[in-house]
Amino acid sequence: KDLDKGLEKTKTNIFGKLSRAVAGKSTVDVEVLDELEQILISSDVGLETTIKIIERIEARIARDKYINTKELNSILRDEIVQLLAENNTQDLEDFFPPTDKKPYIILVVGVNGVGKTTTIGKLAYQFKKAGKKVVLGAGDTFRAAAVDQLGIWAERVGCDFYSKGMNTDPAAVAYETVQYAMNNDCDVAIIDTAGRLHTKLNLMKELTKIKNSIDKKLPEAPHDVMLVLDATTGQNAIEQATKFTEATDVKSLALTKLDGTAKGGVAIGISDQFKIPIKYIGVGEGIEQLQVFNKRAFVDSLFK
Ligand code: GDP
């Protein structure tokens, strides 16, 4: 239900326009395809991904001779699911990923304001609900508010919290959070980082240092490096993804605030462009309004 509501604006945007584009037409012609291209671009699917989708539909028209406008929706839906499937090969079934790693270490990266703290809090809540012992590590040591906010979330969720306060070395906080998790039988540690987008080289150095210190304490960790992006920021989100993927080995995405945008198509574009699976989506401010990303459910909800 949250997902349907969260995607409402995007749905109205895409399909309102699409139904106007095909009004009075029986087959999908060049005009409809041009219109579809504009619609997808305007919902932030991204140029490259849009072109890919259009080309696939053209290929089907070439194969089947023509496409009835009534079939366009279901064809579009199939193509988007297929596109998402290329990167999201295995959608999570539950919030906690299947893993034999204990403690499982998640390093969370992303710029300020995208909903990083909220997403960490919501995740901790779900992990706790699934019976996991959780610790949050306050690795964003540049903002006092970041440390405080994370502490508040830990209290709200009822999970452990590791902090050395602000202006401390984030790599040391990360290392000690892992140590804390190992010493206290935690199933999972979620480590926050500062969202400063300075130069690419600085970002790279900072994240590398944090990753190395985690790995020194626990080989092969962090097991996940999750980039949080704000779906309402469109091209900015793409720019951020470019910078972070160049700076570090981003393994998964969390896309927040899908409820606040008519351009939820950005989920499709980003996953395709960066070849990174989307793990979680934020569909509201509430503690329960984080969902495991499921490509089929996402697309179904869009086309409902
Ligand atoms: P941070 O600076 O990246 O840590 O961002 P915060 O976690 O403090 O979030 C910034 C704002 O975005 C807060 O007001 C959150 O309540 C809001 N927010 C986070 N996720 C979502 C979401 O999925 N939907 C909506 N509508 N708001 C969200």
Side-chain angles (χ1 to χ4, degrees):
K1 230 173 73 200
D2 275 345
L3 183 61
D4 290 345
K5 237 199 265 161
L7 291 176
E8 193 74 49
K9 289 183 189 164
T10 301
K11 198 166 86 176
T12 311
N13 181 27
I14 297 183
F15 297 103
K17 288 179 186 162
L18 195 56
S19 68
R20 282 194 292 278
V22 299
K25 293 194 180 209
S26 58
T27 58
V28 175
D29 56 15
V30 176
E31 243 173 58
V32 173
L33 284 178
D34 279 351
E35 196 68 30
L36 177 61
E37 187 172 311
Q38 289 312 312
I39 293 167
L40 293 175
I41 287 170
S42 80
S43 38
D44 274 350
V45 170
L47 184 61
E48 273 174 52
T49 307
T50 296
I51 290 173
K52 232 188 243 182
I53 294 172
I54 299 291
E55 280 175 354
R56 290 180 188 197
I57 295 177
E58 280 170 346
R60 282 183 72 153
I61 295 176
R63 196 191 63 198
D64 300 343
K65 302 290 180 282
Y66 71 93
I67 290 180
N68 197 307
T69 46
K70 288 201 187 72
E71 298 170 306
L72 183 58
N73 267 15
S74 71
I75 287 170
L76 187 57
R77 172 196 192 124
D78 291 350
E79 295 301 342
I80 292 175
V81 170
Q82 264 189 36
L83 202 69
L84 283 170
E86 286 165 22
N87 303 300
N88 296 263
T89 47
Q90 263 185 323
D91 291 338
L92 285 179
E93 284 182 20
D94 302 300
F95 280 91
F96 200 73
T99 179
D100 54 1
K101 308 278 190 273
K102 184 180 169 171
Y104 184 74
I105 313 294
I106 306 172
L107 186 68
V108 183
V109 301
V111 307
N112 297 335
V114 295
K116 202 151 46 83
T117 315
T118 309
T119 302
I120 293 172
K122 287 168 168 175
L123 257 190
Y125 168 78
Q126 293 293 346
F127 290 168
K128 176 106 196 292
K129 219 163 93 172
K132 305 293 176 191
K133 185 159 194 239
V134 186
V135 59
L136 305 185
D140 181 353
T141 59
F142 289 92
R143 294 183 302 159
V147 176
D148 294 348
Q149 283 301 316
L150 201 68
I152 291 169
W153 270 104
E155 206 161 296
R156 188 169 168 200
V157 167
C159 70
D160 292 4
F161 179 55
Y162 190 86
S163 165
K164 301 180 78 169
M166 71 171 296
N167 291 329
T168 51
D169 178 8
V173 175
Y175 182 93
E176 289 170 34
T177 302
V178 176
Q179 187 164 48
Y180 179 97
M182 292 166 77
N183 291 344
N184 291 277
D185 198 35
C186 293
D187 296 292
V188 54
I190 312 176
I191 302 171
D192 192 12
T193 60
R196 298 183 311 160
L197 249 200
H198 25 40
T199 68
K200 191 172 98 189
L201 192 64
N202 275 335
L203 184 69
M204 195 185 290
K205 275 190 193 153
E206 208 166 281
L207 293 176
T208 304
K209 195 172 162 218
I210 294 172
K211 274 184 72 176
N212 287 346
S213 78
I214 292 173
D215 182 70
K216 204 154 64 179
K217 188 69 214 166
L218 185 65
E220 287 179 51
H223 307 104
D224 192 6
V225 178
M226 186 168 86
L227 172 64
V228 182
L229 296 171
D230 177 343
T232 65
T233 61
Q235 290 309 306
N236 271 342
I238 300 207
E239 219 168 277
Q240 289 162 19
T242 307
K243 290 209 171 127
F244 277 93
T245 50
E246 281 170 4
T248 191
D249 183 18
V250 176
K251 291 204 170 88
S252 70
L253 299 174
L255 206 57
T256 65
K257 310 187 199 178
L258 272 172
D259 54 305
T261 178
K263 302 185 169 194
V266 73
I268 301 158
I270 286 186
S271 179
D272 179 49
Q273 195 172 332
F274 294 94
K275 311 284 170 234
I276 301 172
I278 303 166
K279 254 189 178 163
Y280 307 107
I281 50 175
V283 291
E285 289 191 282
I287 193 166
E288 303 231 4
Q289 287 173 316
L290 182 78
Q291 301 197 339
V292 168
F293 179 76
N294 177 296
K295 54 187 171 283
R296 178 57 70 177
F298 181 86
V299 176
D300 279 352
S301 190
L302 264 187
F303 282 81
K304 209 175 264 175

